[in-house]
Amino acid sequence: MLQEITEELLREVIRKRPNDSYKGTFGRAVLAGGEPRYAGAILMAAEACICAGAGLTTVITAKENHSPLLARRPEAMAVDWQDFATTEAAIETADVLLVGPGLGTSEKARKLLDFFLEKRRPDQWLVIDGSAITLLAESYTLTTLSYKLHSPETVVFTPHQMEWQRLSEILIADQNEASNRAAAAKLAATVVIKSHRTQIYTADGLSFKNPYGSPAMATGGSGDTLAGMITGFLAQFPRNGTTVAAAVALHSLIADDFAQKQYVVLPTAISAALPRYMARFASETS
């Protein structure tokens, strides 16, 4: 039975920051993606990760994306996605990795994805989003992919329904709680199946239904922003499925509030609101 997420879960996960905090307290996140024509995807993911509170955020992306990234978010660090030596050094320092937003499906993209899977340590959480899911679906079944990941319990997949169809081979019309749960169990990872009412199946045996969300969110970049939020949450809060569910819920809850007065809620507006909303829920835990 899917557990409906409530605001109480947000208060459980989002914690007040200790007085003796420094940037290392809130985790190191490394994000990879953004071939030049899809630059916006990785930029929005990075912005969400930073605004969600990750202590340090490094972005592995095409060199053409560095200037717009740093102009928009100077808090980020940028690495050329063809510089594998520097990329490896960044991966080594990370607590949480995200690969996929705007990655594309070129041979360069596939090599970068394979490099991340090869270099990731089992204790590092990995969020796999967007075209990275499509690339993996082309090469693996759920069972062989679970084996390939070595430690799937520290991996989070964030597919929309078509990406989930590619990965699970469950047609969108047949995607229901029973079929999704069985497929997620084969994968042995946490799976966030994005839809009108997003479902979350965690590697630690929990399952959630997100009661929030609005058609005002139906615009490009919403999924990239969510992936960045999940990464930022995992960087600083307990690394488990409940924290993933909290990020999913807050993403939609902010949009619901905005949608009361707006026809469209832009993903970047959700990111900009994150610090304010997180302070609201953190203050309620005291």
Side-chain angles (χ1 to χ4, degrees):
M1 184 73 176
L2 292 168
Q3 174 185 342
E4 189 166 281
I5 303 172
T6 66
E7 292 189 11
E8 185 57 38
L9 186 140
L10 295 175
R11 289 187 282 270
E12 175 188 332
V13 170
I14 301 171
R15 302 174 177 179
K16 273 196 169 183
R17 293 191 157 194
N19 290 334
D20 59 352
S21 300
Y22 70 106
K23 60 189 176 184
T25 306
F26 305 110
R28 293 169 170 82
V30 173
L31 287 59
E35 70 164 70
R37 62 179 171 159
Y38 301 135
I42 195 65
L43 268 61
M44 285 185 280
E47 182 161 343
C49 185
I50 292 165
C51 291
L56 289 165
T57 300
T58 299
V59 182
I60 315 294
T61 190
K63 204 165 187 178
E64 297 93 322
N65 300 336
H66 290 192
S67 291
L69 168 68
L70 297 175
R72 184 169 183 90
R73 278 296 162 198
E75 300 91 344
M77 294 171 281
V79 174
D80 183 356
W81 71 341
Q82 294 304 298
D83 182 348
F84 282 85
T86 306
T87 295
E88 182 174 3
I91 291 172
E92 287 175 355
T93 67
D95 299 300
V96 184
L97 305 167
L98 165 62
V99 60
L103 183 67
T105 55
S106 67
E107 189 56 32
K108 286 182 180 180
R110 186 179 294 277
K111 286 180 179 178
L112 184 62
L113 174 59
D114 288 343
F115 190 76
F116 262 68
L117 295 180
E118 175 190 344
K119 297 301 179 182
R120 178 184 78 101
R121 300 189 310 271
D123 63 303
Q124 291 173 310
W125 277 67
L126 170 64
V127 181
I128 301 178
D129 182 60
S131 44
I133 295 173
T134 297
L135 285 170
L136 292 173
E138 290 173 355
S139 302
Y140 300 97
T141 66
L142 292 176
T143 302
T144 58
L145 179 54
S146 181
Y147 179 78
K148 170 72 174 178
L149 295 172
H150 302 302
S151 52
E153 69 278 2
T154 55
V155 177
V156 182
F157 288 88
T158 57
H160 56 58
Q161 286 182 286
M162 180 52 71
E163 289 165 344
W164 183 234
Q165 176 176 301
R166 294 178 192 131
L167 189 62
S168 68
E169 299 184 333
I170 303 171
L171 297 176
I172 292 176
D174 297 327
Q175 291 175 14
N176 54 49
E177 182 180 347
S179 63
N180 290 339
R181 187 187 302 278
K186 287 182 182 178
L187 197 50
T190 293
V191 182
V192 178
I193 305 171
K194 298 177 292 191
S195 67
H196 171 57
R197 288 291 175 255
T198 294
Q199 297 179 8
I200 304 158
Y201 299 89
T202 76
D204 43 8
L206 301 175
S207 55
F208 298 94
K209 179 180 179 180
N210 179 25
Y212 310 112
S214 163
M217 302 171 71
T219 187
S222 290
D224 306 305
T225 294
L226 176 59
M229 279 183 63
I230 291 172
T231 304
F233 269 49
L234 289 171
Q236 64 191 301
F237 300 131
R239 292 179 191 127
N240 56 40
T242 301
T243 293
V244 173
V248 171
L250 185 58
H251 177 256
S252 295
L253 186 149
I254 293 171
D256 282 357
D257 282 359
F258 287 4
Q260 293 181 39
K261 296 183 179 180
Q262 297 177 199
Y263 188 73
V264 175
V265 178
L266 297 181
T268 49
I270 295 175
S271 292
L274 274 170
R276 183 171 74 254
Y277 275 79
M278 291 177 73
R280 172 181 135 193
F281 286 106
S283 67
E284 292 176 8
T285 66
S286 59

